[in-house]
Amino acid sequence: MSIVNEKDINEQIAWAKINADVLRSMANPRRAYWISVAMCLAMIACAVTAEVYQYTEGMGYANLNNPHMWDMYIATFVFWIGMSHSGTLLSAILHIIHADWRKPIYRFAEAMTTFSLMTAGFFPIIHLGRMWNMYWVLPYVSDRGHWPNFRSPLVWDAFAISTYLSASMLFLFVGMIPDLAICRDNAKGWQKKLYSVLSLGWTGTDRQWRNFRKTYMLMACFLIPLAVSVHSIVSSDFAMSIMPGWHVTTFPPYFVAGALYSGCAAIITLFVLLRYYFRFEEYMTKAIMEKTCKLTFAIAMVWTYLNLVEFASVWYGHDIYSKELLIAKAVGPYAWVFWSMIFCGSVLPFTLAFQSLRRNMPVMFVVSLFLNVGMFFERWMIVAPTLSMSHNPHQWDIMWGSIIEWAIVFGSFGWFGLLFLVFVKVFPSVSMYEVKEMVYHRRRHVVNDEAAEKFHRRASDSKTGTDEPGLEGA
Amino acid sequence: MKRYSIMALFGDFDEAFEAIAEIRHAAIPGITTDDITLKSPIEHPEIEEVLGERPVHIQKFTLGGALFGLIFGFFFLASAQATFLVQPQGGKPVIPLPSNFVLVYEMLIFFGVWITFFSFLFLSGLFRKPHPLYSEKVSLDQIGVLLEVDEDKMQPLKELFNKHKAVEIREGVIHQ
């Protein structure tokens, strides 16, 4: 089969068409979009019902007891925090290294970051039971005279996640300002008022662009170490303890790699959905999908390597409890989860190595879902086996999630989905000005190449060339 | 003398660039590139070749914000931890540096990001009513070159813009 070298984007696409296509997407999605919204609402209803039941009847209905004090809720919390790393990867890291293929897809990845953090934040609150006391973790002067224990990684979590949430929201907002001005210029009624307020009076002056670029770059520089620190701190929730299976030196990089991995997989999922909902075939091209898949494959291999490092360090270490736990993971009651994790996380990504599969949207959609199933299993395998089989044999107890927990976890996907779907309907999910920049620079590159070719031809031929076409807006 | 604002819209960045370059080379006496505001749908950093380098100061505020986060963060935590009389530390250091390092790091980033954002709002000339000559085409696909000039400079400017294939020229009186 021949190898297809398709362009990331058609550089001849007119700027007016970019505006028109993206603005149209906000007004006129396919019916599948509305079906998805309805499904998300139904999922949220499940979670709310389960939470009300748990709240009134007690945390026992979530199978939470000694030694299983966290389990499903913290596994889901870690999963959603991990998902949030997608935006940082696509927006900040690829922005800094000038990978311009990210431009049509980074906006929704940034939105994913914000919404997955907002979803993750629910789980510590739900798990508390006495959720009205959540604010005790915040450091403020109170009449109790007590401060949170600053040595606890749970307090570090509160600092790190609130910083990450506010920084990623600002990053998302700042990156949208020029597009909000485009929306303002094309909207009517209440939407015009909304976009006028949000675009902050942006008119595209050279002063605004200079400051905008600098701000965006500085924020990206802050966001990368922040994202790494957030998931390192989340890993400290486990690694700072002395529990077998948790007291692992490689946990911070392992968590960060897992986070980037699940974030990339989620980008593929939403890439396929948005491409279909909003008819974005010209912007979310197969060439960009290929690059995203290659990136995901590379991260999958890093994650696999770190898994092997963890297994090897336990196997060749002298901690008998950790070694017993490792064996129990592979052959014990959680073995099917463990091997499913290995299959989904380390074997299935090899489908991303084949170009014909990478270019097949339905296949990539299904694969990306299974990659994230694998990553959910990974979080479950971090939490549950250790709690089931810690130092004291009299506390050994196998635990599976209750229907209440599953309903709340299920609903969290609905909550995330609803936030995301509302966002892509109200705000441009493809960055118009960045796509224009991408098209402009690529067109210029093509014109320069053609000019160079003509120049060389002229050197051997006395004929003169014709006028070059204009570059702006095509 | 009446003072006017004039904005030429170009369909091609290169034409706008050439027009500004001509102004820079004193094609019209009394007008310099300092009087020019470029409006564009995307960023054109190459315009500084003719507009001259216009500095950006946001990074200074960013540094200030990050340093503030670092210093404030440490003293905030240390002052909270110093209430050890009501919070016995069990023999551990009253102000534990390793854990404070983590929290101070987060606060450095927190204040760095927020101060960067506020300095962007402050330094970018946002929160202003759009210029009366503002055209929505600037957010679509055209380049605007905006100047505020005396009445006697209007005609030569129009001729210069027309020479460079301006798609549209808008003008308005600022004050009589």
Side-chain angles (χ1 to χ4, degrees):
Chain A
M1 204 176 113
S2 65
I3 302 293
V4 185
N5 281 319
E6 195 182 287
K7 290 174 183 173
D8 291 337
I9 198 159
N10 172 16
E11 69 269 358
Q12 297 305 330
I13 192 166
W15 286 11
K17 182 172 161 38
I18 295 170
N19 277 21
D21 287 346
V22 176
L23 294 173
R24 189 203 61 218
S25 77
M26 294 158 64
N28 183 25
R30 284 184 199 265
R31 189 184 295 169
Y33 170 87
W34 297 108
I35 294 170
S36 305
V37 170
M39 282 169 62
C40 289
L41 286 170
M43 290 161 82
I44 293 171
C46 284
V48 171
T49 309
E51 171 55 21
V52 169
Y53 188 75
Q54 178 182 276
Y55 185 83
T56 51
E57 298 297 322
M59 298 302 286
Y61 283 91
N63 284 358
L64 294 180
N65 210 326
N66 192 16
H68 292 281
M69 70 291 188
W70 259 114
D71 274 324
M72 184 73 88
Y73 290 147
I74 198 169
T76 316
F77 165 77
V78 177
F79 176 80
W80 282 115
I81 292 285
M83 194 81 94
S84 70
H85 283 49
S86 57
T88 313
L89 177 71
L90 264 183
S91 285
I93 300 177
L94 296 183
H95 173 68
I96 281 176
I97 62 171
H98 300 293
D100 76 340
W101 59 267
R102 64 178 255 291
K103 289 180 176 175
I105 59 170
Y106 83 89
R107 172 73 48 74
F108 78 78
E110 277 180 13
M112 271 176 61
T113 295
T114 302
F115 300 140
S116 44
L117 283 171
M118 288 165 79
T119 310
F122 273 124
F123 283 89
I125 299 173
I126 290 170
H127 164 259
L128 268 186
R130 298 171 187 168
M131 54 180 74
W132 57 89
N133 286 337
M134 183 62 202
Y135 69 96
W136 284 12
V137 79
L138 299 174
Y140 70 103
V141 183
S142 77
D143 54 7
R144 298 191 306 278
H146 288 269
W147 291 83
N149 179 8
F150 293 111
R151 293 189 190 87
S152 164
L154 297 177
V155 174
W156 303 355
D157 265 346
F159 271 75
I161 292 170
S162 49
T163 302
Y164 193 34
L165 179 61
S166 63
S168 62
M169 285 170 83
L170 283 183
F171 194 56
L172 173 65
F173 175 64
V174 168
M176 270 201 309
I177 290 173
D179 279 349
L180 291 170
I182 297 175
C183 295
R184 173 201 64 202
D185 291 346
N186 291 278
K188 287 174 189 161
W190 67 269
Q191 286 179 315
K192 191 169 187 75
K193 285 180 188 164
L194 173 72
Y195 296 129
S196 296
V197 171
L198 292 177
S199 60
L200 309 177
W202 177 272
T203 52
T205 63
D206 53 297
R207 176 183 174 188
Q208 288 173 346
W209 278 117
R210 275 195 313 278
N211 285 288
F212 173 82
R213 275 291 163 220
K214 182 66 87 177
T215 304
Y216 199 72
M217 179 60 88
L218 288 167
M219 283 189 160
C221 293
F222 274 124
L223 218 62
I224 296 167
L226 178 59
V228 172
S229 78
V230 167
H231 227 51
S232 302
I233 287 172
V234 169
S235 78
S236 301
D237 293 346
F238 304 97
M240 296 283 282
S241 73
I242 53 168
M243 299 282 274
W246 286 358
H247 194 60
V248 181
T249 315
T250 56
F251 252 28
Y254 178 58
F255 269 54
V256 173
L260 293 174
Y261 185 14
S262 58
C264 273
I267 285 171
I268 295 174
T269 309
L270 294 176
F271 183 113
V272 178
L273 287 177
L274 286 184
R275 184 180 145 101
Y276 176 73
Y277 288 155
F278 298 131
R279 304 170 180 90
F280 275 151
E281 288 82 0
E282 276 190 279
Y283 306 99
M284 298 181 182
T285 58
K286 289 185 177 179
I288 293 177
M289 171 59 105
E290 278 211 56
K291 289 189 167 78
T292 313
C293 289
K294 286 175 185 171
L295 187 64
T296 310
F297 180 69
I299 296 170
M301 293 303 104
V302 172
W303 179 83
T304 302
Y305 168 74
L306 287 168
N307 252 328
L308 293 174
V309 167
E310 188 197 329
F311 298 158
S313 60
V314 171
W315 189 260
Y316 292 109
H318 299 289
D319 184 351
I320 186 68
Y321 305 104
S322 294
K323 194 168 179 178
E324 268 185 32
L325 182 70
L326 180 64
I327 295 168
K329 280 181 180 177
V331 297
Y334 293 118
W336 72 268
V337 185
F338 178 80
W339 291 111
S340 302
M341 171 192 93
I342 296 292
F343 175 77
C344 293
S346 297
V347 179
L348 198 60
F350 280 92
T351 54
L352 305 174
F354 297 96
Q355 192 188 44
S356 55
L357 294 176
R358 285 198 303 263
R359 301 178 65 81
N360 188 320
M361 294 292 158
V363 169
M364 280 302 102
F365 180 72
V366 173
V367 167
S368 65
L369 287 179
F370 275 102
L371 295 183
N372 259 326
V373 167
M375 295 316 293
F376 191 88
F377 284 162
E378 182 228 19
R379 276 63 187 247
W380 174 261
M381 287 307 295
I382 288 169
V383 180
T386 292
L387 293 175
S388 303
M389 202 178 160
S390 60
H391 289 296
N392 296 326
H394 72 271
Q395 285 193 321
W396 286 6
D397 178 35
I398 303 303
M399 186 270 199
W400 299 99
S402 72
I403 185 95
I404 295 292
E405 281 182 313
W406 276 112
I408 291 175
V409 170
F410 183 62
S412 72
F413 286 88
W415 168 252
F416 170 81
L418 185 68
L419 287 175
F420 186 78
L421 289 170
V422 169
F423 174 84
V424 296
K425 181 77 173 61
V426 178
F427 299 106
S429 51
V430 169
S431 170
M432 291 177 268
Y433 71 94
E434 293 246 41
V435 172
K436 285 176 189 172
E437 276 182 3
M438 184 181 179
V439 166
Y440 174 79
H441 291 296
R442 287 183 178 225
R443 194 185 301 149
R444 208 166 180 93
H445 186 69
V446 169
V447 170
N448 286 345
D449 282 355
E450 283 172 1
E453 202 177 316
K454 274 182 190 168
F455 176 79
H456 290 302
R457 237 183 281 150
R458 266 192 231 129
S460 56
D461 185 0
S462 59
K463 284 179 191 172
T464 52
T466 53
D467 287 348
E468 299 297 344
L471 287 166
E472 203 81 13
Chain B
M1 189 181 287
K2 279 185 184 174
R3 196 157 170 80
Y4 283 81
S5 54
I6 178 168
M7 186 165 82
L9 291 171
F10 294 88
D12 187 330
F13 172 72
D14 290 341
E15 293 294 350
F17 185 94
E18 291 300 326
I20 295 171
E22 207 169 320
I23 294 171
R24 183 185 172 87
H25 294 117
I28 303 170
I31 299 181
T32 67
T33 48
D34 293 339
D35 303 319
I36 297 173
T37 302
L38 184 86
K39 291 177 184 262
S40 57
I42 64 170
E43 191 198 12
H44 284 287
E46 61 271 35
I47 199 68
E48 292 199 355
E49 286 174 32
V50 286
L51 279 184
E53 200 169 318
R54 294 180 174 180
V56 177
H57 299 290
I58 287 181
Q59 64 275 24
K60 294 172 191 166
F61 289 86
T62 303
L63 178 64
L67 288 175
F68 174 78
L70 186 82
I71 295 163
F72 168 78
F74 181 78
F75 283 105
F76 171 71
L77 293 168
S79 60
Q81 287 154 346
T83 61
F84 64 95
L85 290 176
V86 290
Q87 296 186 124
Q89 305 293 319
K92 293 172 189 158
V94 174
I95 298 171
L97 293 181
S99 62
N100 281 9
F101 175 79
V102 176
L103 297 170
V104 165
Y105 180 79
E106 297 301 324
M107 292 179 91
L108 177 152
I109 292 176
F110 181 85
F111 283 99
V113 167
W114 276 98
I115 298 292
T116 303
F117 176 67
F118 285 123
S119 59
F120 166 66
L121 299 184
F122 179 67
L123 295 171
S124 300
L126 295 167
F127 300 113
R128 290 178 188 171
K129 278 188 177 177
H131 195 279
L133 300 186
Y134 175 74
S135 169
E136 290 161 4
K137 289 170 189 166
V138 167
S139 70
L140 185 64
D141 58 359
Q142 294 188 0
I143 304 286
V145 177
L146 176 72
L147 294 101
E148 294 186 356
V149 293
D150 292 333
E151 191 176 8
D152 60 330
K153 308 286 188 316
M154 287 294 283
Q155 195 51 37
L157 260 180
K158 283 182 195 172
E159 283 168 13
L160 187 147
F161 288 145
N162 283 324
K163 187 176 126 190
H164 289 286
K165 299 175 190 166
V167 179
E168 185 186 343
I169 297 175
R170 296 175 163 213
E171 59 185 281
V173 180
I174 306 172
H175 43 80
Q176 302 283 341

